[in-house]
């Protein structure tokens, strides 16, 4: 099982990692760290509001996870993602709770609320229109990476 945690929200959901360790659950927690609360910041920018509480200090969530008994990994460069995720999956399959801290860009993201890549939820025409609108022809749903490793993913509507 995977927990996907994004945009610096890890501290708000960190009890998941502690609970996973406490109950010896082999869960992989993926943290996308970009040093800002990007979706809130983008909303403020879109509505010409003053920015408040949207920028964070860099934190090493892999070390925090290790301090709580999980296996922690950090990805800082895209070139390292395959190796790090293989190590994370191996630790997970060995029965460990894992946390992967993925340091990502602060570039403005594609609006998550518009993601339409799942053929179980959207028609082929909706997916094609989405890929064209956001120039996302090569964007692969994260679920496909999970399933390629033989791991479960959940569809959330």
């Amino acid at each position: 099982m995977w927990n996907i945690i994004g945009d610096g929200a890890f501290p708000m959901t960190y009890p998941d990692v502690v609970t996973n360790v406490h109950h010896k659950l082999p869960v992989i927690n993926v943290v996308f760290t970009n040093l800002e609360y990007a979706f809130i910041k983008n909303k403020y920018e879109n509505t010409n509001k003053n920015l408040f509480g949207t920028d964070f200090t860099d934190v090493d969530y892999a070390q925090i996870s290790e301090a709580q008994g999980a296996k922690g990994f950090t990805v800082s460069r895209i070139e390292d993602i395959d190796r790090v995720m293989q190590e994370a999956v191996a630790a997970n399959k060995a029965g460990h709770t894992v946390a992967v801290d993925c340091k990502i860009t602060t570039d403005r993201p594609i609006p998550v609320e518009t993601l339409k890549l799942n053929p179980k939820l959207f028609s082929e025409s909706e997916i094609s229109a989405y890929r064209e609108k956001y120039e996302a022809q090569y964007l692969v749903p994260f679920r496909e990476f999970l399933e390629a490793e033989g791991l479960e993913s959940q569809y959330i509507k």
Side-chain angles (χ1 to χ4, degrees), residues 8-28:
F10 195 90
M12 296 177 352
T13 58
Y14 190 71
D16 290 348
V17 174
V18 175
T19 301
N20 298 157
V21 170
H22 178 75
H23 293 288
K24 298 179 177 32
L25 300 174
V27 175
I28 297 176

Side-chain angles (χ1 to χ4, degrees), residues 18-79:
V18 175
T19 301
N20 298 157
V21 170
H22 178 75
H23 293 288
K24 298 179 177 32
L25 300 174
V27 175
I28 297 176
N29 297 274
V30 180
V31 183
F32 296 100
T33 307
N34 68 355
L35 305 182
E36 62 185 26
Y37 218 1
F39 292 104
I40 302 298
K41 188 174 189 175
N42 293 342
K43 186 173 184 173
Y44 285 169
E45 289 173 348
N46 289 343
T47 58
N48 295 316
K49 304 265 188 209
N50 291 327
L51 298 181
F52 177 77
T54 58
D55 295 312
F56 302 118
T57 302
D58 194 11
V59 175
D60 189 334
Y61 293 112
Q63 284 188 355
I64 291 172
S65 300
E66 296 226 346
Q68 296 296 324
K71 299 286 183 179
F73 300 92
T74 300
V75 178
S76 300
R77 302 173 332 131
I78 193 67
E79 298 85 7

Side-chain angles (χ1 to χ4, degrees), residues 31-132:
V31 183
F32 296 100
T33 307
N34 68 355
L35 305 182
E36 62 185 26
Y37 218 1
F39 292 104
I40 302 298
K41 188 174 189 175
N42 293 342
K43 186 173 184 173
Y44 285 169
E45 289 173 348
N46 289 343
T47 58
N48 295 316
K49 304 265 188 209
N50 291 327
L51 298 181
F52 177 77
T54 58
D55 295 312
F56 302 118
T57 302
D58 194 11
V59 175
D60 189 334
Y61 293 112
Q63 284 188 355
I64 291 172
S65 300
E66 296 226 346
Q68 296 296 324
K71 299 286 183 179
F73 300 92
T74 300
V75 178
S76 300
R77 302 173 332 131
I78 193 67
E79 298 85 7
D80 298 332
I81 189 110
D82 288 339
R83 177 189 52 78
V84 170
M85 292 309 286
Q86 287 171 359
E87 292 174 21
V89 168
N92 174 260
K93 288 182 178 178
H96 298 284
T97 296
V98 175
V100 180
D101 184 1
C102 298
K103 306 293 186 182
I104 61 172
T105 181
T106 57
D107 291 344
R108 238 183 130 130
I110 295 173
V112 169
E113 65 274 10
T114 65
L115 287 178
K116 295 181 180 177
L117 296 175
N118 187 337
K120 293 188 177 187
L121 301 175
F122 300 98
S123 70
E124 191 58 44
S125 63
E126 289 174 301
I127 293 171
S128 293
Y130 173 86
R131 288 185 186 278
E132 185 173 326

